[in-house]
Amino acid sequence: MQLHLLRNATLRLHYAGRTLLIDPMLGPVHTFRSLAGREENPTAPLPLPAEDAVRGLDGVIVSHLHPDHFDEVAARLLPRDLPLLCRSGDEAYFTGQGFTQVTPLTGPGDWLGLTVQPTAGQHGTGPILDRMGEVTGFLLSAPDEPTLYWAGDTILYPPVLDVLRDARPDVVVTHSGGAALMDTPIIMDAAQTLDVLRAAPAARVVATHLGALDHCFTTRRDLRAAADAAGIAPERLLIPADNETLTLTR
């Protein structure tokens, strides 16, 4: 398994012979509005040409329709016959965009020869949660590959802990940038990421969704410092830079 972080939550994942693009935000800097009044987004450049990000794909996974997970450039560049897996409820949007192989993630099943299962996510609390809408994560497994739990845009709440306990994933991808709206957390921050590590002591955690949006208040440096202070080894908490590729085994 090779996990290539492009930027924010956008990954190219090489898994069981398949190349997948996850949550593509492919536009240049400052192409959509500020979310915290600090700077237009994205705040960091895509580290390679967008055309290269969509080259050689077997499929694409989109967790929800916020612009930092599926933007206009991705919508323009992705081939319309590319298999696309999406949150149940978003399929009409993609078919309306002309995609011809759209699969809603409704339950455990086979997709491109991989076993994929949706997982619950909670994109905030209180009134903010109603504004943020529904999201999904997923569990991915295949013979001779590490089981991957991609938690998605969620805070740490009981259903996430249930997945960690019941599925015992080998690798957990967290969104750890501490994004907040109106002082309400909408994804994990450093403290919640450390709680994931404590809840899954046998897993390696890959922290993403850092350093590319103006409403993300946890930096890579913040997260590493918190992990060091908690005695968590760098090989357990991986914090890739943009354009870094990690190779992970069972």
Side-chain angles (χ1 to χ4, degrees), residues 17-187:
R18 299 292 192 180
T19 299
L20 309 175
L21 183 65
I22 300 173
D23 275 12
M25 177 179 68
L26 304 179
V29 294
H30 299 166
T31 50
F32 65 91
R33 66 182 180 85
S34 168
L35 298 169
R38 301 196 297 171
E39 185 179 351
E40 290 185 332
N41 291 296
T43 61
L46 192 68
L48 77 177
E51 291 79 7
D52 290 350
V54 303
R55 185 171 292 123
L57 297 176
D58 296 299
V60 61
I61 301 174
V62 181
S63 66
H64 62 300
L65 295 177
H66 290 169
D68 59 317
H69 296 264
F70 189 80
D71 67 2
E72 293 180 358
V73 175
R76 175 169 53 85
L77 292 181
L78 286 168
R80 289 306 188 259
D81 61 350
L82 185 69
L84 188 151
L85 189 68
C86 67
R87 187 192 71 84
S88 179
D90 289 344
E91 59 269 26
Y93 169 82
F94 290 108
T95 56
Q97 291 282 315
F99 289 94
T100 59
Q101 296 192 64
V102 179
T103 302
L105 189 53
T106 57
D110 178 272
W111 182 68
L112 301 179
L114 312 173
T115 300
V116 190
Q117 176 177 337
T119 60
Q122 183 174 308
H123 204 358
T125 57
I128 287 294
L129 180 58
D130 293 334
R131 289 177 50 186
M132 298 307 292
E134 299 291 330
V135 298
T136 192
F138 60 83
L139 278 166
L140 189 65
S141 60
D144 301 318
E145 290 282 7
T147 298
L148 170 65
Y149 172 32
W150 188 89
D153 264 11
T154 184
I155 59 172
L156 182 60
Y157 77 130
V160 172
L161 295 171
D162 291 344
V163 174
L164 296 173
R165 181 195 65 228
D166 297 339
R168 297 185 180 183
D170 300 299
V171 177
V172 181
V173 175
T174 57
H175 291 179
S176 298
L181 293 174
M182 297 175 59
D183 298 321
T184 300
I186 58 173
I187 61 173

